[in-house]
Amino acid sequence: MSRVFVFGSLNMDLSIACDRMPRAGETIAGHDLLVNPGGKGANQAVAAARMGAATCMVGAVGTDAFGEQLAQALTAAGVDTQHLARTADAPTGTALIMRTDGDNRIILDAGANHALRADAVMAALDQAAEPGDLLITQLECDIPTTFDVLARAHAAGLVTVFNPAPACAAPRELWPSVDLVCLNETECGTVCGIEPHTDDDARRAAKTLCARGAGAVAITLGSHGSALYDGRTFTRIAPVPVQAVDSTAAGDTYLGALAAEHRCGAVCLMRVRPHRDPRWRPASHSHPRRG
């Protein structure tokens, strides 16, 4: 079976609960401070590993206590960390989270998450991955690097899974290098200009992204479930009712689980495309090999 590789962020999350969000200049009482390993990339890697997928994390942390704790947490969850870089040039990424009534507000300091460049990421994939493996990435690392890695990994035969979060506009020439794009309602509005308030909206948004070149689309809809489009068929997935305590990493968990299920053949969203877009093909890059 294929393996799951995650190129993405690792942050130490400092999370505090409050009865309401503070106004500008206001200090309010908080409670239940939590210090937890996080970052979208690490969250997705842990979710995939806990679902049984052989998962490898490609990213960077600082040479500080938070970095060591993050590496240990990934290893404990079953994630391969041999391609996790340590840098003395930047601190480990940090997220400050305020949570209330199942909602949250997050402020990020990227730190070491911006340390890696595409050549270093592709060197790790050359050593450990092979065509048919999955690569998941987001936008909490250096954005031009992320776009470059997506394109080069796709051209090398990996199945590319793109989570455009935090959302920003992606160059149109990137989309043919994306086999599956997974995004939430807000990100959908930013990326394609259509917020999926209804099934018709979600269908139009998914078709818009596929028309740009993406192979398939998964849209998470919070308490309304999710929507999937494989380039041919639009499917609505009903939610599983739960009592939300903290929505942090809910979307990351969804994506990690989806990747694990695809990897073991339980679901197959990405259509097989017989060619790679020549506009993004690297000048010279061998197929990845298993190390």
Side-chain angles (χ1 to χ4, degrees), residues 60-145:
V61 293
T63 54
D64 48 34
F66 281 168
E68 183 59 29
Q69 291 170 28
L70 285 167
Q72 291 177 358
L74 286 170
T75 300
V79 177
D80 183 346
T81 59
Q82 65 176 313
H83 297 290
L84 180 61
R86 275 80 164 177
T87 177
D89 295 331
T92 298
T94 306
L96 304 179
I97 304 169
M98 294 182 293
R99 61 186 196 275
T100 179
D101 294 331
D103 197 3
N104 61 68
R105 302 288 188 275
I106 303 174
I107 303 173
L108 291 175
D109 177 4
N113 289 314
H114 283 191
L116 293 186
R117 293 297 179 262
D119 285 347
V121 177
M122 293 308 300
L125 296 177
D126 276 345
Q127 184 178 1
E130 62 185 23
D133 286 343
L134 274 72
L135 173 70
I136 303 174
T137 192
Q138 331 77 32
L139 291 175
E140 285 186 343
C141 294
D142 181 70
I143 291 176
T145 294

Side-chain angles (χ1 to χ4, degrees), residues 5 52 76 81 84 98 105 107 133 148 168 177 184 204 214 224 242 253 289:
F5 290 81
T81 59
L84 180 61
M98 294 182 293
R105 302 288 188 275
I107 303 173
D133 286 343
D148 194 6
C168 73
S177 296
N184 66 21
R204 286 193 302 113
H224 299 291
V242 297
T253 301
R289 59 188 178 279

